[in-house]
């Protein structure tokens, strides 16, 4: 599963108030990021995985999206 697919699935889970699916997708993103060495993205996904408050979940998900975009941009700039 790609990081983009995991992010999309997490957004869908948030829209459907499916906390278990959201935590599962956040966990997958965290693992993918950690394996890749994307520490900031892994930390953002960890915060998403551990949050229970709906407002905090939405904010954490946007932080994950921002970190994913930054990570993808950095990878795309590699020679």
């Amino acid at each position: 599963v790609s990081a983009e697919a995991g992010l999309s699935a997490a957004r869908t889970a948030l829209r459907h108030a499916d906390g278990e699916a959201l935590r599962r997708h956040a966990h997958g993103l965290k693992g993918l990021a950690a394996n890749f060495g994307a520490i900031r993205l892994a930390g953002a996904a960890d915060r998403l995985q551990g949050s229970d408050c709906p407002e905090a979940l939405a904010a954490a998900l946007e932080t994950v999206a921002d970190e994913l975009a930054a990570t993808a941009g950095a990878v795309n700039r590699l020679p």
Side-chain angles (χ1 to χ4, degrees):
V1 173
S2 72
E4 291 84 3
L7 180 61
S8 177
R11 283 187 168 137
T12 298
L14 181 62
R15 276 195 307 276
H16 293 285
D18 187 345
E20 183 59 35
L22 181 58
R23 281 185 287 282
R24 187 174 59 250
H25 293 299
H27 181 76
L29 285 166
K30 179 176 72 172
L32 184 115
N35 286 335
F36 191 74
I39 303 306
R40 289 177 54 156
L41 177 56
D46 184 57
R47 288 186 296 281
L48 175 61
Q49 184 182 4
S51 185
D52 288 327
C53 171
E55 293 81 17
L57 284 169
L61 187 54
E62 287 314 305
T63 300
V64 168
D66 292 345
E67 289 298 333
L68 179 57
T71 300
V75 168
N76 288 333
R77 287 189 299 276
L78 291 173

